[in-house]
Amino acid sequence: MATALFCGDIAFDVALRVARFPDPDQKTHAFENLVSAGGVAANSAVACARQGIDTALLAVVGDDVFGTYSREFLAARGVDVTGVTTAPGRTALSVCTLAEDGEKRLVYTSSVSQYPPLERVRGADLAGVDWIHTSCLHPEGAAVLAERARAAGIPMSIDLELLALAHGMDALAPTLSGAAVVFINEQTAAAIGDVPGFSARHRLKSVVRTGGLRGAALTYGFDEIAVAPPPADRIIDTTGAGDCLAGVYIARFLSGADPHAALRAAVASATYACGHLGAQGGYPNRATTDELLATAWPKKPSPNRKPKP
């Protein structure tokens, strides 16, 4: 069984749905709420584990009740949290409020749980790991992990957020070099500009560019494959959809799917997740993703055979 290691952040997430946002000095009641462990790395790890892949998380939480809850929450969803350590301080807290018209307001606090310290990254056991996924928000730690992955011959994928570009490409280059997949959204792609040129400069094997409810595109060199999302019954919350897409893509690739098939499964899963509250509230398991694929892209009968009655 393939094993995927996710390295990065954990947060304690609170998601609230309200009829409308309150005016100043007023309050309103949420008609739906969800509390969970979140964060880019944690979300992607859960999405991958839900697809049946052995999944481990290398991270740190604060020594507070949020950290304890987050570890237990992730473990209950099939993520190996033995690599999640505790540090003095508070776990990151994220509060997302969504109105019925789809408007979203997000408040996030930084904390000790943003990225594991360098000594943890240097000492992490990579034996038996078949894939590594991380972010570039902490370039120094990510660069150490990337160098270890290259030395061990382990494929690595990277979530490249717009905020990470503020560090400068010189700081990000050691992490990006030779990556198997780099996941970017539309804002990051716009900031980069020439995505194929960016891919060539850093010798990336591929780039997955997410387009929200328009699906995603996979770039190999100067070739591109676009995948439109299947029809969605409803869109409630897009939080964590990109993390879901990354986790499912990795899981399907490790399961033997080609990149195009892996991206279709990832897009279908992320679209499905948007119909539920919270980052992980609607992450599908493997069987559900298979059902989504069969509905959205049914297999066509062979041209040499007549369909069965």
Side-chain angles (χ1 to χ4, degrees):
M1 174 70 74
T3 299
L5 174 66
F6 292 78
C7 178
D9 60 323
I10 293 179
F12 180 82
D13 282 1
V14 179
L16 305 169
R17 288 188 71 199
V18 297
R20 66 176 183 84
F21 295 123
D23 294 326
D25 201 30
Q26 291 187 348
K27 67 179 180 181
T28 189
H29 291 279
F31 61 84
E32 186 177 3
N33 66 84
L34 179 71
V35 175
S36 66
V40 172
N43 288 340
S44 298
V46 170
C48 187
R50 295 275 291 161
Q51 295 291 310
I53 296 295
D54 286 344
T55 303
L57 184 61
L58 180 64
V60 60
V61 293
D63 57 354
D64 54 8
V65 293
F66 295 152
T68 301
Y69 176 88
S70 297
R71 281 176 55 94
E72 294 175 351
F73 182 93
L74 295 169
R77 279 147 187 81
V79 177
D80 182 349
V81 296
T82 55
V84 179
T85 56
T86 302
R90 291 193 293 182
T91 305
L93 175 65
S94 175
V95 179
C96 179
T97 306
L98 300 110
E100 283 191 304
D101 61 2
E103 185 180 353
K104 178 168 61 177
R105 296 181 182 179
L106 182 66
V107 179
Y108 184 83
T109 63
S110 296
S111 76
V112 298
S113 63
Q114 296 301 292
Y115 206 85
L118 281 176
E119 60 269 21
R120 290 281 296 114
V121 178
R122 292 193 181 103
D125 185 6
L126 301 185
V129 174
D130 300 289
W131 192 282
I132 295 175
H133 181 75
T134 193
S135 70
C136 280
L137 290 176
H138 293 263
E140 188 177 4
V144 170
L145 186 62
E147 179 57 34
R148 293 196 62 200
R150 286 189 290 266
I154 303 172
M156 185 167 177
S157 56
I158 298 159
D159 183 279
L160 184 57
E161 297 182 67
L162 181 63
L163 187 60
L165 299 183
H167 292 289
M169 294 313 303
D170 287 345
L172 301 180
T175 302
L176 295 171
S177 181
V181 189
V182 172
F183 296 93
I184 60 176
N185 60 21
E186 290 180 305
Q187 292 76 26
T188 304
I192 290 172
D194 179 11
V195 173
F198 164 81
S199 179
R201 283 193 301 276
H202 296 285
R203 296 179 290 110
L204 307 179
K205 303 296 189 301
S206 63
V207 176
V208 171
R209 186 175 72 253
T210 60
L213 298 179
R214 289 181 295 280
L218 174 69
T219 300
Y220 271 99
F222 289 89
D223 295 326
E224 183 173 280
I225 298 173
V227 174
D233 293 333
R234 59 177 186 167
I235 299 297
I236 291 177
D237 187 0
T238 60
T239 304
D243 303 333
C244 177
L245 186 145
V248 173
Y249 182 91
I250 292 165
R252 291 291 170 143
F253 193 86
L254 287 174
S255 297
D258 62 71
H260 189 194
L263 187 60
R264 287 197 302 179
V267 169
S269 298
T271 304
Y272 176 85
C274 291
H276 301 76
L277 181 64
Q280 299 176 21
Y283 285 6
N285 60 21
R286 190 176 188 88
T288 299
T289 297
D290 286 342
E291 292 174 5
L292 295 169
L293 290 171
T295 302
W297 296 285
K299 292 183 179 180
K300 296 180 180 179
S302 169
N304 298 321
R305 296 181 180 178
K306 294 182 179 181
K308 294 182 179 180

